[in-house]
Structure formats: structure tokens, C-alpha cells
Amino acid sequence: MVFDVDGTLVDSERHGHRVAFNLAFEEFGLPYRWEEEAYGELLRVTGGRRRIEGYLAEQGMGPEREALAGELHRRKTAIMTELIEQGRIAARPGVDRLLAGLTDAGCGLAVATTGSRSWVERVLARCTPGIDFTVVVTGDDVAARKPDPEAYTRAVELLGLVPEEVVAVEDSAEGLASAVGAGLRCAAVVNGYTADHDLDAADLVLDGFGDPGCPARVLADPRGTGCTGVLDAATLGRLLEP
Ligand code: XBP
Ligand code: MG
């Protein structure tokens, strides 16, 4: 199984990255502030550095935006790491249960994210303690970020598997396109920012991971897994059936 991080394993965008971007803007004396709702649109550009640079271009900034975006992103990454160490970022409900079940089932676990390695490693250590992700592919490790398939292709190769043996768990249309483009089946677990994304290509769609007694809503189950709202190892395994 290969997991996305932002928006999937952890609820990191609204009260994490967005806050860190704004604090970086403030420290640099820039007037920009990314509000909660508008940030949903900005998220369609994957990769924080690209997101800043695209935004600066929209504000009419010239070629100097490239270096500024790099500096802002370095500071934003440091702030995000502080937020993680302060315990401000949490795993989504049901993630601990699912990862423990996959580990018990002997499933190889990997991460494929477009986020930067320095904070990704810290968030995995804090929010998924004791879980052994044998492969962690980050935005630093690929030439092309999602929706390009490279991150998933790399993760599958490093797991020593072929795409037909691997399921991806994603939260967004960009992530889904990356996983499907690499030839993986994909379960989408949406959040407040991605509930309206086009996820028609997903093999299963839920609005949460669910827990016994507190199931998520199953939004689409085109492969007929019979999932009743608690995403578990058996359900993900059924996605690999022909
Ligand atoms: C996540 C991203 C990342 C984060 C910010 O997308 O696009 O850019 O928003 O992290 P996905 P960085 O969940 O599809 O991997 O600032 O480190 O890029
Ligand atoms: Mg994501």
C-alpha cells in the first residue's frame, strides 16, 4: 500500500501548511494572507514552492519571484516543522487503526507525497509512531510532482513490486491522477478541501477512514467491495482483485 500524506494520513493543510505560509509572508513583510477557503483553490498547484511562485506571478511579480519563492518556502518549511513538533498536526481519525491492521497483515507500507522530505519525516515520526514505512518518496525525490505519476512509479519500484500489486490511498484529484497514471488501483478518502474533486477514476471513495461504531460515508464503491464505512486491510486487498 502506498499512502499520500497531506490531506490523507494527516490533516495538514488548513491548520498546518496554510498557517506556515502566512507566517512566512508576515516575517518577510509581505501583505499576502491565504484565507481558509481560498487556499482550497491554491492547493490545486501541488508543491509549496510552486504554489508560492504561481501566486507571486498572479500578483504581478517579475522574474525576481523565483528566488523569493525559494526563500519563502525554506522559511515556511521550518515553521511547518515547528508546528509538527508542537503537536499541532494530527493523523486523521481511523489512520492508526488502518495502519496497524496493514502491519499485522504483513503489508509493505510506503509513502508517495509531493511535500518536502524534511517535514514529511517529522510528521510521520510524530503522527504514525511505530509504523514502518519502508519507502518514503517525497517531492524532493522526483522531477515532476503530482499529478505526474513519477512519485507512485518510484514508490512501487522501491517496494520491489509491480503496479498491479499495489493500492494507493489518496485524498485529491491530483493525487488520484498520479496513482492511476502509475497503474495503481486507488482508494480516495476525501476531506473538506477535496470533497468536490472529480474522483470518478477512483476504485473506492469515502469521506473518512471510519472506525467501528463511527463509520465513514461510502461515496462510491464501483468494484463492489461491500465496504460499510470502515476502511481496513481486507477492503483495500479486495481492490486488487481482477
Ligand atoms: C501536497 C502538496 C504539498 C503541500 C505543502 O500534495 O502539494 O505541496 O501542500 O508541502 P499531495 P511543501 O498531498 O498530493 O502530496 O510545501 O513541502 O511542498
Ligand atoms: Mg494529498
Side-chain angles (χ1 to χ4, degrees):
M1 303 291 155
V2 186
F3 285 85
D4 170 48
V5 177
D6 285 305
T8 302
L9 289 178
V10 291
D11 214 346
S12 52
E13 293 290 2
R14 195 179 298 265
H15 303 298
H17 294 299
R18 188 187 64 86
V19 172
F21 283 118
N22 283 338
L23 286 168
F25 292 145
E26 197 177 335
E27 280 185 20
F28 278 63
L30 294 166
Y32 316 127
R33 297 296 179 268
W34 288 353
E35 303 301 333
E36 281 193 40
E37 207 184 315
Y39 187 65
E41 264 317 299
L42 289 157
L43 272 176
R44 305 305 298 249
V45 178
T46 58
R49 191 182 185 288
R50 291 173 65 228
R51 192 171 302 142
I52 298 172
E53 198 181 335
Y55 180 81
L56 294 178
E58 274 173 24
Q59 305 309 302
M61 195 175 284
E64 71 273 24
R65 66 177 183 264
E66 200 185 322
L68 179 58
E71 282 173 43
L72 281 164
H73 190 247
R74 258 190 301 284
R75 184 63 193 129
K76 173 263 164 189
T77 299
I79 296 169
M80 179 65 180
T81 307
E82 285 166 30
L83 295 178
I84 292 164
E85 298 303 350
Q86 289 164 10
R88 305 260 293 267
I89 310 298
R92 290 182 70 185
V95 162
D96 292 356
R97 173 194 53 71
L98 172 59
L99 293 177
L102 288 167
T103 301
D104 289 348
C107 234
L109 297 177
V111 151
T113 172
T114 57
S116 313
R117 179 167 289 276
S118 62
W119 69 259
V120 168
E121 287 182 340
R122 294 313 307 145
V123 91
L124 292 177
R126 288 246 1 173
C127 298
T128 61
I131 298 297
D132 182 19
F133 288 101
T134 49
V135 168
V136 176
V137 177
T138 71
D140 299 356
D141 307 314
V142 292
R145 286 173 156 77
K146 299 174 189 176
D148 189 281
E150 186 179 349
Y152 278 100
T153 299
R154 182 78 66 91
V156 170
E157 276 170 14
L158 292 171
L159 282 170
L161 297 170
V162 293
E164 294 75 21
E165 297 174 304
V166 184
V167 175
V169 183
E170 267 290 348
D171 70 310
S172 69
E174 291 73 21
L176 171 65
S178 174
V180 169
L184 278 64
R185 299 266 165 97
C186 183
V189 184
V190 299
N191 56 55
Y193 278 132
T194 63
D196 64 349
H197 283 198
D198 178 354
L199 301 169
D200 284 353
D203 298 285
L204 179 66
V205 184
L206 296 103
D207 72 353
F209 290 86
D211 270 319
C214 186
R217 275 200 306 150
V218 179
L219 304 174
D221 185 11
R223 292 197 177 271
T225 66
C227 178
T228 54
V230 180
L231 189 60
D232 57 13
T235 305
L236 288 175
R238 283 200 283 281
L239 293 183
L240 290 175
E241 289 168 8

